[in-house]
Amino acid sequence: MRDLTKDSSLLAINSATVKSWTLEELVEGCVRAGITAIAPWRDIVQAAGVQKAGNMIRAAGLTVSCYCRAGLFPAADEAGRRAALDDNRRAVDEAAAIGARSVVLIAGGLPKDSKDLAGAHQQVHDGIAELLPYAREAGVLLAIEPLHPMYAADRACVNTLEQALDLCDAIDPERSGALGVAVDAYHVWWDPKLEAQIRRAGRERLLAFHVCDWLVPTRDLLNDRGMMGDGVIDLPQLRGWVEDAGFDGYSEVEIFSAENWWKRDGGEVLDTCIERHRTAV
Amino acid sequence: MRDLTKDSSLLAINSATVKSWTLEELVEGCVRAGITAIAPWRDIVQAAGVQKAGNMIRAAGLTVSCYCRAGLFPAADEAGRRAALDDNRRAVDEAAAIGARSVVLIAGGLPKDSKDLAGAHQQVHDGIAELLPYAREAGVLLAIEPLHPMYAADRACVNTLEQALDLCDAIDPERSGALGVAVDAYHVWWDPKLEAQIRRAGRERLLAFHVCDWLVPTRDLLNDRGMMGDGVIDLPQLRGWVEDAGFDGYSEVEIFSAENWWKRDGGEVLDTCIERHRTAV
């Protein structure tokens, strides 16, 4: 396992962690803190203007570990599915324009008034299969991120690493390297099959690694994630598993925290991420 | 699939659904509504006195579909594990005294300050293996209930039906009928492997079937469950799967609902359960 205790070169900051910041503030904040990689969400890239965003990131010498987020495939009708796919193509274009290695895909939940979970699964499969050639052409990898099962209804009906890898195998059986997964500690830490599925994923499928922590108690389903070290996830063990499987990329910090970290000064949050990345990841 | 549209003989009421009621009120309320089966939690049975509770239930001619709940095996030290096991033996004794067919076991979460999930899994295995002969002797079945992964840290580290069945196979490979699972729609509805795992469970392992619904949005991790029909779970499909696998027992309604059903009159809640059991399960 890589020794990170004196090193922040493998730390990336997801823009959701410093939610109040613009892209410009994120870029400046990371440069100031000596952080070399970011994972921006689409909202701040679009707000900055995509070309300008790319120029800003390149001028600062930052790596874009991944672009968050696209997907959300299931829809109640064909028009909805087309709209989702069009938007996903735009996300791929944006990712290419800012030099992101990959786009993170979350599946999307059940269409309004639907209880057809198997149908939603099928729509996710079909959507990714249709998007993949476009992304390959653009030189952008697609990383399916299984979300915690508590989001199955309204955000993502792909909820385990096994399910995400089954999708990868169905759509990209040749393991071309163009399609893989994002492993986010928060979403998958509870899974008894996690170690085995990370091994199954291997280097070709492990495209991103996200860290934060699961707090006890968790007071909100969405915005009560913890800073690394403040919860119950054995993050060094998890990092060991992804590294043993061949992953050599960034640990990307993504913390939704309405009542704690989002209320603090962004510089303080980044300093804490640096310290915790060295001691708790 | 059994036609329940005119029939409530397979409806059971879990006492958590009418949380403010004593056991006496639950028994009287069910008799008044024509409901023939209950699944009481330990608190109301202990409050009534175990022998008196058994007499009351028998005098009313009610079936006890299962007894809720025991388990909670992992502990920080040997004294804690002994205490949990002693309490589980008492739960088995109580179940026998009130004529319950089974005791529902939830695994328990991580011990305080522990991040050792694999260790907790092992403690759950060892605890159930030690409890099983005692339960068999008492003529009480043990039903492992996988809880939703959002409870992995603090309530139950057994979170999928597959994981629960793996435990059953490890502890009771001969499928003796003494150890099985409780399938609660709320906890498992999201799982892409659910249908296959229900089939794997089969008649010997399917000991209980709990229903309620997953609301969108869900506003609280614990106490915001929905009445059947008010959420996104395809309950008739799920009931079809458990019946196809050989289950012929009760649909037991268990709804934690601090802001809705717990605030209503218990008689109204029971009437709604009867109506929804006919139309939405």
Side-chain angles (χ1 to χ4, degrees), chain B residues 99-111:
Chain B
R101 184 168 173 253
S102 64
V103 169
V104 166
L105 300 179
I106 71 165
L110 292 165

Side-chain angles (χ1 to χ4, degrees), chain B residues 101 175 198-199 201-207 245-248:
Chain B
R101 184 168 173 253
R175 293 177 75 91
I198 287 172
R199 203 177 311 118
R203 189 183 180 86
E204 301 87 4
R205 297 280 201 223
L206 289 171
L207 302 185
F247 180 77
D248 60 5

Side-chain angles (χ1 to χ4, degrees), chain A residues 206-229:
Chain A
L206 289 170
L207 302 185
F209 177 49
H210 296 184
V211 294
C212 68
D213 217 331
W214 181 279
L215 298 176
V216 177
T218 290
R219 294 156 302 177
D220 183 83
L221 274 83
L222 192 58
N223 294 324
D224 193 26
R225 301 190 188 184
M227 178 64 66
M228 300 82 74

Side-chain angles (χ1 to χ4, degrees), chain B residues 19 37 39 41 62 91 114 143 226 242 256:
Chain B
K19 194 177 166 65
W41 278 54
L62 292 175
S114 168
V242 298
F256 298 179

Side-chain angles (χ1 to χ4, degrees), chain A residues 117-149:
Chain A
L117 189 58
H121 291 158
Q122 187 63 49
Q123 290 195 45
V124 174
H125 169 279
D126 296 349
I128 297 174
E130 192 161 348
L131 185 62
L132 185 59
Y134 188 86
R136 194 181 266 135
E137 186 74 25
V140 173
L141 311 182
L142 296 181
I144 306 170
E145 180 173 350
L147 295 200
H148 195 283

Side-chain angles (χ1 to χ4, degrees), chain A residues 190-252:
Chain A
W190 58 271
D191 185 350
K193 304 181 83 173
L194 184 56
E195 183 182 6
Q197 292 299 317
I198 287 173
R199 203 177 310 121
R200 170 189 170 193
R203 189 183 180 87
E204 302 86 6
R205 297 280 200 224
L206 289 170
L207 302 185
F209 177 49
H210 296 184
V211 294
C212 68
D213 217 331
W214 181 279
L215 298 176
V216 177
T218 290
R219 294 156 302 177
D220 183 83
L221 274 83
L222 192 58
N223 294 324
D224 193 26
R225 301 190 188 184
M227 178 64 66
M228 300 82 74
D230 288 346
V232 300
I233 307 177
D234 189 337
L235 291 165
Q237 179 184 66
L238 181 54
R239 183 165 68 84
W241 290 345
V242 299
E243 290 189 11
D244 286 348
F247 180 76
D248 60 4
Y250 293 91
S251 304
E252 180 189 303

